[in-house]
Amino acid sequence: PVIDPVATGANIRRLRAERGLSVRDLQAYFGFEEPQAIYKWQKGKSLPSVDNLYALGVLLEVPMDEILVSA
């Protein structure tokens, strides 16, 4: 199986918005200096690391496999 980064990014954006969280909220949660990593995830330019994917699932209250979208 292959992960579709663009569809996964759109899914991250949707899940974040459904929970009323901003990009800045995620930035603070992950302790990032800048929000660029979050924007890259949402645009499908990169995928979260396994650690960050797990943390994202906890924050968004979904299993990791509901964040990832296969191609």
Side-chain angles (χ1 to χ4, degrees), residues 8-62:
T8 296
N11 198 34
I12 291 171
R13 189 170 47 251
R14 179 185 59 80
L15 291 166
R16 175 186 59 73
E18 283 177 358
R19 280 148 187 83
L21 297 168
S22 70
V23 168
R24 294 284 183 187
D25 291 334
L26 267 66
Q27 176 189 345
Y29 177 76
F30 285 102
F32 295 158
E33 290 281 323
E34 299 291 330
Q36 274 75 15
I38 312 293
Y39 288 118
K40 284 182 180 180
W41 297 347
Q42 292 187 155
K43 291 179 181 173
K45 295 190 184 296
S46 69
L47 290 168
S49 68
V50 173
D51 289 349
N52 285 341
L53 187 62
Y54 178 77
L56 194 57
V58 171
L59 177 66
L60 299 174
E61 301 174 341
V62 295

